[in-house]
Amino acid sequence: MIEPGKYLNPEGKVHWKSPANIALIKYWGKYPEQLPMNPSLSFVLSNSVVSIKVEYVIDDSKPLNILDFKLNGRDNPGFAEKINNYLVRLSEYFSFLKHAQLHISSESTFPHSAGIASSAAAFSALALCVCSMDEKIYEKRWNADDFFNKASYMARLGSGSACRSLFDGMVVWGFTKFLPGTSDEFAVKLSDDRVHESFRDMQDTILIASSETKKVSSSAGHELMHKHPHRENRKEQALDNLNKITRALKDGNWKMTGEIIENEALSLHGLMMSSNPGYILMRPNTITMLEKIRSFRQDTRLNVYFTLDAGPNIHLIYPFKERKDVRNFVTSDLAPLCENHKWIDDEMGKGPVNLLEDDQ
Ligand code: PMV
């Protein structure tokens, strides 16, 4: 039993890298404490990552203080404030944070103003840092499953979808009775035997339709779901789509998987348009690209499908073996419709990395 206030290692350093994730079944609408209205499913990306290094001293005579915060080598007071609020929230679970003196530096691979959200990567990296601090300060060692479940729970408190960034492969967040072990409080990996090998090298090409800041934030969008006329239908639809996609993923059925992910993307945007007030995040070039993607699929019979987050940019999802054809199509037909011809190549990744363990 550790006496309160007794830190075995009050000084140290932690350093984690964590990825963004792309949802195939969308989380839309939340209850207090960032609990989801419906379960969602995603996979983590490989290149879109944030790494966070925290150097800390725990000093009971001082309150929590971020002594400095750097994002890609520069001060960023806006983001530092968000992190401070998040750490205050986590101090309900980790009392040492109430007295932590912190130097935090963060590196992000997200292209500046590409309109791609980095919050899932950032909050999951930070949650991992705090869980590692807990282990070091009190010289305890969680087993890997408990550690990542706990980090997922903590990441959720920063940004709901961040809780899905902690695991490789397909990840489910939200309780559903047909997937044992699922929870509203943290995400779980869909076991490998439930995912056919043809889904293990999924590609994600991100087409930047616009990098402008969104007029309606995701938080505002989640909020509008409370009084949404289609709220109950949406919960049923998401459950039904999750049920179907898990079968399609197991069977290696790309066609069915693709149809479900497009249905999810268009439903998400339909929910935004039919909210009160309604709003539109797609841009005219988003729609032009979606139509081109569908025609290309019809002409070539390739497995290339789209999904969209709460924004105008398109994620093209396809298997590695179709990469060459899809790349040619992107360069010739879609890049000219992207803002400044900008698109980003990414693919399914392997999850977070402890950079300190990598150093040693
Ligand atoms: O985690 P949030 O609050 O940024 O919400 C993310 C919502 C979507 O990206 C639209 C869907 C999802 O499941 O990631």
Side-chain angles (χ1 to χ4, degrees), residues 21 23 25-28 30 40 119 159-162 164 218 222 268 309-310:
N21 66 74
I25 303 294
K26 306 292 181 183
Y27 142 61
W28 201 235
K30 64 179 170 185
S40 54
S119 59
S159 155
S161 58
R164 296 186 311 236
S218 287
H222 287 298
L268 172 72
D309 267 343

Side-chain angles (χ1 to χ4, degrees), residues 74-146:
R74 293 181 171 182
D75 289 331
N76 188 324
F79 198 35
E81 193 186 330
K82 274 194 191 159
I83 288 187
N84 188 69
N85 294 343
Y86 176 58
L87 294 176
V88 169
R89 177 77 183 83
L90 290 198
S91 68
E92 288 171 31
Y93 299 85
F94 300 96
S95 58
F96 62 81
L97 283 176
K98 292 187 176 134
H99 304 290
Q101 311 300 299
L102 305 169
H103 294 271
I104 304 178
S105 56
S106 172
E107 304 288 330
S108 153
T109 61
F110 289 75
H112 187 59
S113 67
I116 308 286
S118 60
S119 59
F123 282 110
S124 56
L126 204 53
L128 285 160
C129 286
V130 172
C131 291
S132 280
M133 284 168 71
D134 184 46
E135 285 196 329
K136 285 177 176 240
I137 290 166
Y138 297 114
E139 284 187 1
K140 58 184 169 195
R141 190 83 187 174
W142 296 90
N143 74 45
D145 285 350
D146 290 346

